[in-house]
Amino acid sequence: MLLSLPVMAGGDGQEEIERMRKEMYRLYSTDSLDRFMAVTDNLKKLARSHDNEQLFYKAWSNQALFVFRKVSRSQGLDIVKEEREYALENDEKFGLYAASSAYTTMMSSIGLIDEAEKGLYESIGYLHRYFPEESAAVDYIGLAKIYENKHDYQKMMECARLALQEPNVSDIHQVSAKSYICVGLAKMTKTPEDKKRFEEAYQDYLQASEKYGLDGGLSTIPHFYHAKLNGRYAEALEYAKQITSKTNRLPFVAEGYELNGNYRQAYEVYKDYKKFTDSVNTASVMQQTAEYALQLDVARAENETKDLRLANQALWMKTAGMIAVLTLAFLIFYLLRRRQQLKKLRSAYDRLEETTTAKEQMESELRVARNIQLAMVPSKFPAFPDRRDLDLYASMTTAKEVGGDLYDYLLQDNQLYFCIGDVSGKGVPASMLMAVVVNLFRMFAKEGNTPAQMMMRMNEALSTENSNGTFVSMFIGVADLTVGRLDFCNAGHNPPVIIDVQHPSFMELESNVVLGLWPEAEFVQESLEDFRGKMLLLYSDGLTEAENGWQEQFEEARLTDALKSHRLTDARSTVEMLRQEVKSFVGNAEPSDDITMLCVSVGEK
Amino acid sequence: MTKIYEQDGKTIIQTVSRIDTAMAGQFEQDIHDALQKPGAHVEIDCSQLTYLASSGLRVIQQSMRQVMAQGGTFKMTNVGPKVYKVLAITGFTKFIKVEQSL
């Protein structure tokens, strides 16, 4: 049924606007698409006619987000693009802000967390600079959500508190921020004092929620925690069942059953949850991630030109022509290059290989490939400065003709996920696929999959529509830092070296097939009961196949010899020592492949 | 040069000694026509092969897929220890018939 909300003619506009604004936020947390769209469409018209630029764009962004969440991602993206174009055309700063703010929220929900985090901080900075009287609460809440996903509850609460300190925070954002504070305190409750703080925050949330008739987007989750912390487990379960979003609901329902001692039911729900997240994150995710990443880059280019335009408004008359040309040239250049990469990557690259005259262009392509690759792997070491029981170091030396090596690691719930991999082929196509693989690794690790599950799902994703036979060899390990156990799965990668008190040996492992070629392949997982005190060295074949001027390869034997003849104190010195060894072996010869190493040891030294 | 000939109803493809990144494209071109025949029994004779890079593995896998899709058979024969090690580590031996040389 459509709620009719006629646009009032005449002077009574302000009240009507205010009523519809409230209605918009109320409907936002419902599923009534038709009503929400009708209200926001009317609100846009009214706001426009009353010169309320801010509200006009807020309504538009809300439409985009609503559609993105409840109808389709691509339609949501389309709406936000339209909004941005409109704002650019009319040169309205708030529109640009509102569109990019909605955009980063979308990035966040498709798993491009780091991008979204960066984008949100940029949005906040932008708003504070140009519209100090406007509230950036929505962006802080976006950040809170990101930190919730990252299980960083301290930061989550910090952002929620910052949201509340913004000027003129709207009702829904107040309730939202308070609900995040509530959840954060619940997560960190250990002592009776903690619980008291939680109770206060909960009452505060409850008051706000009742006052405005809103739940703040977290549905009944705060009530769940309140019941749980007060030992009312049956009630907690009931609240869990009422959570509106399915992704949120299932794990809470599982926890609810567990609290009530119904482990069988908890297990069933948890299985459902896995199945559901699997169906959400199907093979198409791979393509989507790549597509969205590209769109995001385009958005960033637009943002840069946007800043350029705004900063130069005063000098507009003089420099308008020049800026327009520059902006246009930059955009065209950027879009063309992107398009070329996306659509004609392979053929363009093949052509490049053949054309020696296009040397310059080739070098710029190679630079692109190298930049993509280096941007995707973590390079800040020490990786875990505040962990004495965890020593990890990695290095990647890219060859002139970039290969597709990758490594990554992630610490979550005291489990260290780490991997190394090698994408077949070279140059831009290999580095693009490498970026996709790293994203998939992060996503599957965050969901807490086992190494074999991760391999299986990556293989599924990479095998779909893989007509040119590109593949990836990969080793994934998960070290449980509490008990020192190491689970791992090797998909066609060269066996790592395990070093037990100066005694290096190649691990003997199941040779599962490389990823991307056989969708039906199965993956066997293996484990070491106690891995503490040992050092594990993962490497790519660029290391053992490095050639000197006489076409001799470095080979496995030189690798183990080097490890035996040096005192190995920590991960960093081990990797750096090997780099030196290879470097002096290769001499002046041109390296033909990337050389990547990752060394890790766990347990107190 | 890749040698291709028919013998006892089989299509024998004898590779050169190295299929590395630079050579893989040539190899793919060389064998393209030989793979077109439906129901062909293709044998990749690896007696000369001492080095097989990942780009070469790609060509092998694509060829096998094509031959099998056309109802043919596909195997690699006379595979030396170094190349066999590559095929084993990458798990190819699980999906492609590989006969080692003595």
Side-chain angles (χ1 to χ4, degrees), chain A residues 424-426 466-471 492-495 510-514 517-518 520-521 545 547 553 556, chain B residues 18 21 51-55 57-59 61-62 64-65 82 85-86 88-96:
Chain A
S424 69
K426 301 219 182 274
N466 181 8
S467 56
N468 59 29
T470 318
F471 61 84
H493 199 79
N494 19 0
E510 178 74 31
S511 297
N512 298 297
V513 76
V514 290
L517 297 181
W518 285 280
E520 71 277 21
E545 290 178 9
E547 273 185 5
Q553 297 193 341
E556 281 85 354
Chain B
R18 279 175 73 90
T21 313
Y51 179 73
L52 180 61
S54 64
S55 39
L57 287 170
R58 182 185 77 83
V59 180
Q61 193 265 348
Q62 293 281 88
M64 182 197 86
R65 176 170 287 183
K82 229 187 135 188
K85 196 176 147 200
V86 172
I89 285 179
T90 52
F92 268 56
T93 45
K94 289 189 176 167
F95 290 86
I96 292 183

